[in-house]
Amino acid sequence: MRMIKIFDTTLRDGEQAPGCSMNINEKIETAKRLEKLGVDIIEAGFPVSSSGDFESVKAIASVIKNCVVAGLCRCLEKDIDTALLALKNASSPRLHLFLATSQIHMEYKLKMTEAQVLEQAIACVRYAKKFCNDIEFSAEDAFRSDPDFVCKVFSAVIKEGALTVNFPDTVGYAMPDEFGERIRYIKQNTHGIEKANLSVHCHNDLGLAVANSISAILNGADQIECTVNGIGERAGNASLEEIVMGLKVRRDHFNADTKIDTTQLYSVSRFVSQVTGVKLQPNKAIVGDNAFAHEAGIHQHGVLANRQTYEIMTPQSIGIPMSRIDSSGSLVLGKHSGRHAFEERLKELNITLDENTFEKVFEGFKNLADKKKTVGSRDIEALVMDNTVSVPETWKLEHWEIKTGSAAGVSGVIRLRRNDAVIEKAVCAGDGPLDSIFKTINLIIGKEPELELYELGAITNSTDSQGETMVKIALNEKNECLGRWNGRGVSTNVIESSIKAYLSAINAMEYELGERRKEF
């Protein structure tokens, strides 16, 4: 059976998509979960693109030991040098070089001829190979390129030592049948291809990224580049979980598999959704809330008789535990549940915590259990999130009190702590309670970030559910955007969850801006 390599680019192509940014702690935790999932390669970032990307690649390279860590580079020596520095402590480093090969990119973006592109690709692979053995070369916009030119470039870079050549459908233009044919053509006409892995990287602009990736496997591709939940530029990338389960369920058709631990898929999907603030559609294949739901009577009858009548995989196969499930689909614990029961539930959810973090999460669980009758799996996931990926609390919520009504307007106070200083201000006038609260917080911190996104949802379906708030803010100074940050807050009180989310984004902003200042 062929083993297909999974190249995960959630932390590079996925994270760079609008609204999907993560702070460095979130990136490190995501990388750890991808390592546990069993991906072969983690593309940790684009080191030369920003100091933040450089530091995150450096940090990830230092903690990941069981899979390859890749850094993306243009075919420029400065990019390669920067990536080498970021990957210095990696157990298994990879340099991922890319250069466009399509006529439209060469003419309008690169302003280079085919001969110049070929020369630059050869020179940069040769340079990179001096310092790193594992080199991957990508022909950007390969599908819209002259296939013979791509074969020529691939042959040349393999001769220089590239161990992987990547054929991307950068703009999601291909149809599955023609993409498969193109991959077969590349395999048959690239001199030396037997010395390298052939990879594909498909975008989802026409909703065909997974189909094209699967077609590529059928025609000889050795590696698939994909992201958790399919996040990425524009319409996203090929979805890791869909490709992996497609191969797993239809092993008879493909005679191919991956080394992914599929029981980790659900928890990794949930985690990436939470840290990016990008919610999954309910009918998302494999990991959506409705993926194993049956409402039609004839379906329910069939499933009760034999689950295989309407299910081609089990919830347990992707890591959804089926024991002790409440009406909202969440695993149940209550205020009388002890430490052992809580530890067992974490194991069922594929969550591993160190001793200090466990104590914090368990304390949060007991406090939450006093407020609501039952604590479900998503409540537990939220508690874990709050204690594993948060940045330092530059600003901490000490107290809030809000009074509002249809005629009375908004009144109250907000009290924040920064180190030993406590600042309290009366809530200022605004368009409703949240606008008033956020304006007051801005006055306290002395900055005026723009609120770009606000979302409020329920973690479970019960009336005592916690509210989960997601916000995205941007800070602009002198007509320049200094950055965008996500924030998340959870509480049984939706106003409190909103305050926590806003402060979470503020603290991410303060942390990143502080790190930038240290560089100078």
Side-chain angles (χ1 to χ4, degrees):
M1 181 172 293
R2 293 174 61 213
M3 294 302 292
I4 305 300
K5 294 180 182 291
I6 295 297
F7 178 110
D8 182 275
T9 185
T10 302
L11 292 168
R12 200 277 301 169
D13 200 331
E15 194 267 346
Q16 75 184 25
C20 290
S21 60
M22 308 179 201
N23 64 51
I24 190 168
N25 292 341
E26 291 168 341
K27 290 181 181 181
I28 292 169
E29 183 62 25
T30 300
K32 289 179 179 178
R33 293 182 183 233
L34 291 171
E35 180 181 38
K36 186 177 179 182
L37 178 65
V39 304
D40 297 278
I41 304 101
I42 297 173
E43 187 167 50
F46 191 175
V48 81
S49 65
S50 70
S51 59
D53 244 34
F54 176 88
E55 291 300 329
S56 62
V57 173
K58 182 179 178 181
I60 290 166
S62 298
V63 300
I64 298 301
K65 304 301 178 187
N66 297 317
C67 55
V68 174
V69 177
L72 185 69
C73 315
R74 294 167 297 182
C75 274
L76 298 172
E77 289 188 7
K78 69 172 184 178
D79 284 35
I80 295 168
D81 292 341
T82 303
L84 286 166
L85 194 58
L87 294 168
K88 181 180 179 181
N89 296 321
S91 297
S92 301
R94 173 180 291 191
L95 293 176
H96 182 191
L97 281 58
F98 74 95
L99 187 62
T101 53
S102 67
Q103 191 61 43
I104 190 169
H105 276 244
M106 289 189 292
E107 181 178 350
Y108 291 100
K109 187 180 77 171
L110 299 179
K111 302 188 185 305
M112 296 169 67
T113 64
E114 284 189 355
Q116 289 172 322
V117 166
L118 178 62
E119 181 182 2
Q120 186 164 330
I122 291 171
C124 285
V125 172
R126 182 182 298 159
Y127 178 78
K129 192 70 176 182
K130 294 178 184 177
F131 310 103
C132 181
N133 182 58
D134 191 352
I135 306 297
E136 175 173 341
F137 176 85
S138 284
E140 186 183 8
D141 203 23
F143 183 76
R144 294 194 298 172
S145 303
D146 176 354
D148 290 323
F149 179 57
V150 174
C151 291
K152 187 175 183 179
V153 172
F154 280 177
S155 298
V157 297
I158 291 171
K159 185 177 180 181
E160 293 298 331
L163 299 181
T164 303
V165 287
N166 180 42
F167 189 93
D169 182 15
T170 302
V171 293
Y173 183 71
M175 294 291 114
D177 58 339
E178 59 181 350
F179 194 71
E181 289 174 6
R182 189 67 57 84
I183 294 303
R184 186 164 61 251
Y185 186 88
I186 297 297
K187 289 280 283 190
Q188 293 172 348
N189 294 278
T190 299
H191 182 71
I193 192 67
E194 70 280 356
K195 300 176 184 177
N197 288 310
L198 177 58
S199 177
V200 297
H201 180 121
C202 298
H203 277 263
N204 205 41
D205 298 71
L206 293 175
L208 295 169
V210 170
N212 285 333
S213 299
I214 291 291
S215 182
I217 292 171
L218 285 170
N219 286 278
D222 307 294
Q223 174 180 289
I224 302 297
E225 307 196 359
C226 48
T227 61
V228 175
N229 299 333
I231 63 172
E233 291 280 10
R234 303 182 313 279
N237 288 274
S239 166
L240 181 151
E241 59 278 359
E242 293 177 25
I243 290 168
V244 167
M245 291 308 294
L247 294 179
K248 184 72 67 177
V249 172
R250 294 306 312 276
R251 192 180 298 178
D252 61 316
H253 181 67
F254 293 101
N255 194 33
D257 202 353
T258 70
K259 70 172 191 175
I260 295 295
D261 177 0
T262 64
T263 64
Q264 302 291 326
L265 287 172
Y266 183 74
S267 61
V268 172
S269 168
R270 289 286 307 161
F271 182 82
V272 170
S273 176
Q274 288 173 320
V275 296
T276 60
V278 178
K279 294 186 177 181
L280 298 178
Q281 64 199 61
N283 63 328
K284 167 73 169 68
I286 315 298
V287 291
D289 284 345
N290 293 348
F292 295 94
H294 303 276
E295 187 164 333
I298 191 169
H299 285 212
Q300 291 175 342
H301 175 74
V303 168
L304 288 172
N306 185 323
R307 299 198 72 89
Q308 291 183 351
T309 54
Y310 287 102
E311 288 184 2
I312 59 173
M313 67 196 94
T314 65
Q316 296 96 319
S317 69
I318 65 162
I320 302 177
M322 293 301 290
S323 61
R324 300 169 69 180
I325 295 183
D326 67 10
S327 60
S328 67
S330 298
L331 301 173
V332 178
L333 291 173
K335 66 179 182 179
H336 298 298
S337 301
R339 182 182 299 270
H340 178 70
F342 190 69
E343 288 176 339
E344 287 300 310
R345 198 52 46 83
L346 289 177
K347 289 179 183 178
E348 291 182 0
L349 294 171
N350 291 313
I351 295 172
T352 303
L353 303 175
D354 59 52
E355 186 175 345
N356 290 336
T357 306
F358 174 84
E359 292 299 331
K360 293 177 184 178
V361 173
F362 185 65
E363 181 182 355
F365 157 70
K366 298 299 282 186
N367 291 335
L368 180 59
D370 284 334
K371 296 178 181 178
K372 51 183 299 191
K373 186 177 179 180
T374 59
V375 179
S377 61
R378 294 194 175 178
D379 293 312
I380 295 171
E381 290 168 353
L383 288 169
V384 171
M385 279 281 293
D386 288 342
N387 287 278
T388 56
V389 297
S390 58
V391 296
E393 285 189 296
T394 304
W395 295 98
K396 186 174 182 179
L397 179 64
E398 287 275 304
H399 174 75
W400 68 274
E401 182 178 333
I402 302 295
K403 295 178 182 178
T404 186
S406 58
V410 180
S411 63
V413 295
I414 297 291
R415 186 188 308 149
L416 304 182
R417 175 184 292 275
R418 179 168 186 166
N419 299 324
D420 295 328
V422 176
I423 304 174
E424 180 175 298
K425 285 192 179 293
V427 173
C428 56
D431 186 14
L434 295 180
D435 185 50
S436 300
I437 290 167
F438 294 167
K439 284 181 176 178
T440 307
I441 291 174
N442 290 348
L443 285 174
I444 294 175
I445 69 171
K447 294 185 177 71
E448 293 189 21
E450 178 184 350
L451 181 66
E452 293 192 333
L453 177 69
Y454 173 88
E455 289 184 352
L456 176 64
I459 287 182
T460 59
N461 297 328
S462 57
T463 56
D464 65 349
S465 172
Q466 295 188 93
E468 181 179 42
T469 305
M470 307 294 299
V471 303
K472 300 183 191 297
I473 63 172
L475 186 64
N476 298 288
E477 289 186 1
K478 298 178 181 178
N479 296 321
E480 178 186 0
C481 181
L482 300 183
R484 289 178 169 81
W485 299 271
N486 298 335
R488 177 178 169 277
V490 175
S491 173
T492 52
N493 185 298
V494 295
I495 291 181
E496 184 170 274
S497 75
S498 301
I499 296 173
K500 286 182 173 181
Y502 196 67
L503 281 179
S504 172
I506 294 292
N507 284 328
M509 176 187 73
E510 295 280 20
Y511 176 73
E512 184 174 325
L513 294 179
E515 291 299 304
R516 290 183 197 173
R517 285 192 290 269
K518 288 179 184 178
E519 297 174 13
F520 298 98

